[in-house]
Amino acid sequence: MQRRRFVLGTALPVAARGLRLAGALGLAAEPLLARAQFRVDVSGIGAHQIPVLISDFAGQASCPQPLADIIRADLTRSGQFRVTPAASSPTLSDAGPPAYAQWTAAQVEAAGGGSVEAAGPQTWQIRFRLWDAVGQRDLGGLALRVLTGDLRLAAHRIADFIYQKLTGQRGVFATRIAFVGQSGRNSYTLLVADSDGYNPLAALRSREPLMSPAWAPDGNNLAYVSFETGKPVVFVQNVRTGARRAVANFRGSNSAPAFSPDGRTLAVVLTMGAASQIYTVPAGGGHATPVIRASSIATEPVFAPDGKSLYFVSDRDGSPQIYQSGLDGSNLRRVTFAGSYNVSPAISPDGKSLAFVSRQGNNYQLWLQDLQSGATRALGEGPDDGHPSFAPNGQILVYGAGERGVQVLRTVSLDGSVRTTLAAPGQQVREPAWGPWTTPA
């Protein structure tokens, strides 16, 4: 029998993501291979999109980040906008002037422009303004003073501003995703990146497998599974400081953590008995309380948005299906019926939709179910989709996918119209978890 190596992982702090004033100190972070960039490929056209023009920024040539391109890519990825190509977009500063007649003739409903200029060593002043071309009115703008390392984040903040002004919903582009990367047989990394996959930073490195990252509602802590002690153990780690603790290290296997909406409780899967069963434990560690006692397997728990029930996977009816029950195991009901194999549940923030992976023949495919009507439809293309996670506004999903023998991350708009592939060169990436908003609306 091959002996398992007992190699401890190295926990690392991830820089606090927020627009920092010039001169403020950010926490140290270890870049992943000099911040290896992702490739972003977008396919599909939304059926109902807002036509919008985003001008190149005045002063862009001296700026190390393509601000307008980042904003355009964010808006396109959402599926809510038809963005005027850069070649068709004249430079329009935040000072205007509004070209309402031209925009109306070009069937543009909104237009935005900005400027960027150096404001000191490694410091930039960014200004942006948005106009309603149809109503012919000024929709307001943003003025941001940021460090060089926060230029992409500033662009995401501007995209969020545009999204909220034109849709009435809060944008998610300035949020983060966590996922697991593998480069080589014994090299695993827990990564935290911008929502578009850029700026991936290592929160933990290990020679043993890492699995199942799950965000706490505060956006500062991640739960995950590590095999570094020779068996699966659930840890919770502060991504700002790198401090971590084992919160589920019971006899047998400890896996599949999920935070409650208030952040005080974790649902975990334990094998203290003969089969995998769901328990709850305090987020800081402590006594495990069983949710369901049964001879069948119960795994992959996720909390409902109100925190009063759990969705999970069980084979109690002979094949893996998704069920719902109270936190004490009461009111158990089966949720999925279409197909003989349905796993990896994710619940939308409004509690109305269930994303899951369904096996269709030999194809593992992302599906979406309306929880009120029971209607289902395919969102992914397969053949190896996995681990969906909703954006905080519920309008986009991120999930793992197999692409020509490589594990990548994909996003898809909720209507299925626009898909994005995020590919990290030189590594396999999987099990994404979309983080919460960390700043007030």
Side-chain angles (χ1 to χ4, degrees):
M1 178 183 295
Q2 184 179 7
R3 293 182 61 189
R4 172 173 286 277
R5 295 182 304 279
F6 293 85
V7 181
L8 291 180
T10 304
L12 306 166
V14 172
R17 298 298 287 157
L19 292 178
R20 297 189 292 270
L21 294 176
L25 296 178
L27 295 176
E30 180 172 336
L32 171 67
L33 302 177
R35 298 177 186 247
Q37 298 302 310
F38 278 54
R39 184 190 79 245
V40 180
D41 298 325
V42 178
S43 63
I45 299 176
H48 305 286
Q49 295 180 311
I50 301 170
V52 60
L53 181 152
I54 303 299
S55 169
D56 290 334
F57 277 52
Q60 177 65 71
S62 63
C63 181
Q65 290 288 350
L67 301 179
D69 287 343
I70 296 168
I71 295 166
R72 293 180 189 120
D74 283 346
L75 299 177
T76 299
R77 191 169 61 255
S78 74
Q80 300 289 321
F81 300 91
R82 185 175 75 249
V83 182
T84 297
S88 306
S89 174
T91 297
L92 169 69
S93 78
D94 54 293
Y100 293 129
Q102 286 181 287
W103 298 337
T104 301
Q107 297 184 326
V108 170
E109 293 186 12
S115 62
V116 56
E117 60 182 349
Q122 297 295 305
T123 308
W124 300 85
Q125 180 68 47
I126 302 171
R127 295 181 176 87
F128 177 82
R129 201 143 207 93
L130 184 68
W131 290 274
D132 176 354
V134 178
Q136 297 191 3
R137 59 194 179 100
D138 187 329
L139 295 177
L142 292 175
L144 306 170
R145 189 179 178 92
V146 301
L147 301 176
T148 300
D150 281 331
L151 282 167
R152 288 192 67 90
L153 179 60
H156 294 318
R157 285 281 302 275
I158 293 170
D160 283 342
F161 172 83
I162 298 168
Y163 188 97
Q164 186 157 18
K165 286 291 183 180
L166 299 183
T167 70
Q169 294 182 310
R170 191 174 178 185
V172 296
F173 309 116
T175 58
R176 299 175 294 177
I177 57 173
F179 53 96
V180 174
Q182 182 180 358
S183 54
R185 182 176 179 182
N186 301 311
S187 179
Y188 301 88
T189 313
L190 178 64
L191 297 157
V192 176
D194 294 352
S195 66
D196 59 358
Y198 277 77
N199 295 328
L201 299 174
L204 179 72
R205 299 183 188 276
S206 179
R207 294 176 63 187
E208 301 295 338
L210 300 170
M211 301 172 60
S212 306
W215 285 97
D218 63 9
N220 293 325
N221 292 281
L222 271 174
Y224 57 87
V225 177
S226 172
F227 283 72
E228 65 199 48
T229 63
K231 71 169 190 176
V233 175
V234 174
F235 287 84
V236 170
Q237 178 171 328
N238 186 301
V239 297
R240 292 175 178 263
T241 67
R244 65 179 187 147
R245 61 190 181 277
V247 296
N249 188 13
F250 300 99
R251 174 172 52 88
S253 174
N254 308 259
S255 62
F259 276 98
S260 62
D262 63 7
R264 298 178 180 177
T265 304
L266 278 169
V268 294
V269 175
L270 308 177
T271 60
M272 292 194 292
S276 295
Q277 295 293 309
I278 297 170
Y279 292 74
T280 57
V281 297
H287 176 72
T289 302
V291 174
I292 297 176
R293 296 181 183 274
S295 59
S296 57
I297 290 174
T299 187
E300 295 190 296
V302 292
F303 279 88
D306 63 6
K308 297 178 180 179
S309 65
L310 286 169
Y311 292 83
F312 61 94
V313 175
S314 175
D315 64 352
R316 63 193 309 117
D317 288 336
S319 67
Q321 296 291 340
I322 296 169
Y323 296 78
Q324 183 185 20
S325 80
L327 301 185
D328 59 357
S330 61
N331 300 318
L332 179 69
R333 71 181 186 97
R334 181 170 164 176
V335 177
T336 55
F337 293 90
S340 62
Y341 186 102
N342 298 303
V343 297
S344 299
I347 306 300
S348 62
D350 62 8
K352 295 180 179 180
S353 299
L354 165 71
F356 60 98
V357 174
S358 181
R359 187 176 66 192
Q360 305 290 317
N362 293 323
N363 198 42
Y364 292 85
Q365 193 174 16
L366 175 65
W367 280 64
L368 189 73
Q369 178 171 325
D370 183 299
L371 287 173
Q372 183 173 4
S373 68
T376 61
R377 56 189 172 90
L379 278 184
E381 297 175 311
D384 192 19
D385 297 342
H387 299 282
S389 178
F390 278 94
N393 66 2
Q395 298 303 303
I396 312 175
L397 281 154
V398 64
Y399 60 104
E403 184 179 277
R404 294 186 292 274
V406 177
Q407 291 294 311
V408 300
L409 304 184
R410 286 183 181 154
T411 67
V412 60
S413 55
L414 199 63
D415 64 1
S417 63
V418 176
R419 295 184 180 87
T420 302
T421 299
L422 312 177
Q427 63 177 323
Q428 308 274 359
V429 289
R430 62 182 186 275
E431 296 189 88
W434 205 313
W437 287 302
T438 55
T439 57

